[in-house]
Amino acid sequence: MKCAIIDDEPLALDLLESYVKKTPFLALAGKYSSAVQAMKELAGHPADLIFLDIQMPELNGLEFSKMLPPDTCIVFTTAFDQYAIDGYKVNALDYLLKPISYSDFLHAANKALHHYELLQRYEQLRRPQTQEKEEIDSIFVKSEYKLVQIELRNILYVEGLKDYIKIYEEGAPKPVLSLMSMKAMEDLLPASQFMRVHRSYIVRKDKIRVIDRGRIVFGKTYIPISDSYKQAFQEYLEKRS
């Protein structure tokens, strides 16, 4: 997420900047000592998340927040707790009271990330299906509290567990473990490159080298093809045999 920090106290700016830099899923788009300065800079380059001080000269944080795009995540930062109710009136995601600890900052940032991901999924559902999905060459998945980029060309197959998936990559010593469903992963991967062959398995089509008695072979791993996916898989083979 691209984030910005707005605070008229230099020490607060520096502290929040250090917090952003050690948070893997945040990228600092800018830091500003006033809302007026931020208004000029962010107009053409909006941020996904803004850590916004409330008490500032000329234009305070509450007033500035009402000028932001409605999908901007706002976390207010202030030394005065009486602003909390006002903060929630403008749909702020969180309210951090100074001095701000990293644990409180991280909790607010994770809340913003979750909100941001929900908005992204909603936008994907609203967008008509286009060829854009077929042309992607990498995806991001959440693994061990980090977002990990995975090149599609490196994926051999995906295995579904109860609540997790394992993504097996060519040449990788161990799979990437991620908390997501097989259905979500299937929707994320382009159908031109991947095929679901079992309730628990998705394979990359061009990585299939050997099929042995109705099972796809990757090294010492034998992946079954279930009855519900057998016809589609057979049609795929017939086009290439």
Side-chain angles (χ1 to χ4, degrees), residues 2-84:
K2 292 188 297 180
C3 72
I5 308 165
I6 307 172
D7 201 306
D8 63 339
E9 298 177 20
L11 290 177
L13 272 180
D14 292 342
L15 178 67
L16 291 176
E17 180 182 14
S18 71
Y19 287 170
V20 168
K21 286 182 176 178
K22 65 180 180 180
T23 304
F25 55 85
L26 293 181
L28 187 61
K31 61 175 186 174
Y32 311 100
S33 58
S34 74
V36 174
Q37 180 192 7
M39 185 168 53
K40 296 174 184 175
E41 297 289 333
L42 295 175
H45 304 88
D48 304 310
L49 167 63
I50 296 181
F51 292 94
L52 180 58
D53 186 23
I54 292 180
Q55 278 202 320
M56 291 184 290
E58 296 183 274
L59 185 66
N60 69 43
L62 288 170
E63 294 167 338
F64 178 67
S65 68
K66 296 173 185 176
M67 303 176 186
L68 295 169
D71 56 349
T72 305
C73 299
I74 301 169
V75 174
F76 281 120
T77 61
T78 183
F80 304 97
D81 58 6
Q82 69 264 31
Y83 291 112

Side-chain angles (χ1 to χ4, degrees), residues 69-240:
D71 56 349
T72 305
C73 299
I74 301 169
V75 174
F76 281 120
T77 61
T78 183
F80 304 97
D81 58 6
Q82 69 264 31
Y83 291 112
I85 295 176
D86 291 330
Y88 288 114
K89 283 181 181 177
V90 293
N91 294 321
L93 279 178
D94 214 337
Y95 179 98
L96 297 178
L97 193 61
K98 298 177 181 178
I100 300 167
S101 68
Y102 181 62
S103 61
D104 288 342
F105 173 91
L106 189 58
H107 178 77
N110 273 307
K111 189 187 292 187
L113 178 64
H114 178 67
H115 180 76
Y116 175 76
E117 288 174 340
L118 288 177
L119 284 176
Q120 294 293 99
R121 289 175 193 170
Y122 176 68
E123 287 300 318
Q124 286 176 357
L125 290 173
R126 288 183 59 208
R127 269 199 307 266
Q129 293 298 314
T130 65
Q131 287 299 107
E132 183 183 353
K133 182 180 176 183
E134 305 294 331
E135 295 168 359
I136 64 171
D137 54 15
S138 66
I139 58 172
F140 284 90
V141 298
K142 190 181 291 185
S143 180
E144 297 178 353
Y145 304 102
K146 296 177 287 188
L147 283 174
V148 179
Q149 185 180 35
I150 296 178
E151 300 288 336
L152 297 189
R153 67 176 181 268
N154 294 334
I155 297 176
L156 290 172
Y157 63 94
V158 180
E159 180 184 6
L161 306 174
K162 185 178 179 182
D163 299 311
Y164 292 81
I165 61 166
K166 285 182 177 180
I167 303 170
Y168 291 82
E169 298 176 88
E170 203 166 29
K174 63 179 182 178
V176 175
L177 193 67
S178 181
L179 179 62
M180 65 187 298
S181 68
M182 282 291 280
K183 179 65 171 67
M185 188 63 176
E186 185 179 15
D187 291 342
L188 189 60
L189 295 171
S192 63
Q193 302 175 45
F194 293 86
M195 174 180 283
R196 192 162 182 176
V197 296
H198 188 275
R199 181 169 57 88
S200 301
Y201 290 98
I202 298 170
V203 299
R204 182 173 173 95
K205 297 175 185 178
D206 63 5
K207 298 293 186 181
I208 299 173
R209 298 288 181 266
V210 179
I211 301 167
D212 181 12
R213 288 169 288 182
R215 297 174 297 174
I216 301 167
V217 183
F218 288 111
K220 295 181 180 180
T221 302
Y222 286 74
I223 294 176
I225 303 165
S226 65
D227 292 339
S228 54
Y229 297 98
K230 192 167 289 183
Q231 182 178 347
F233 186 71
Q234 190 62 39
E235 290 172 357
Y236 167 74
L237 288 182
E238 287 172 359
K239 291 177 182 177
R240 289 157 178 77

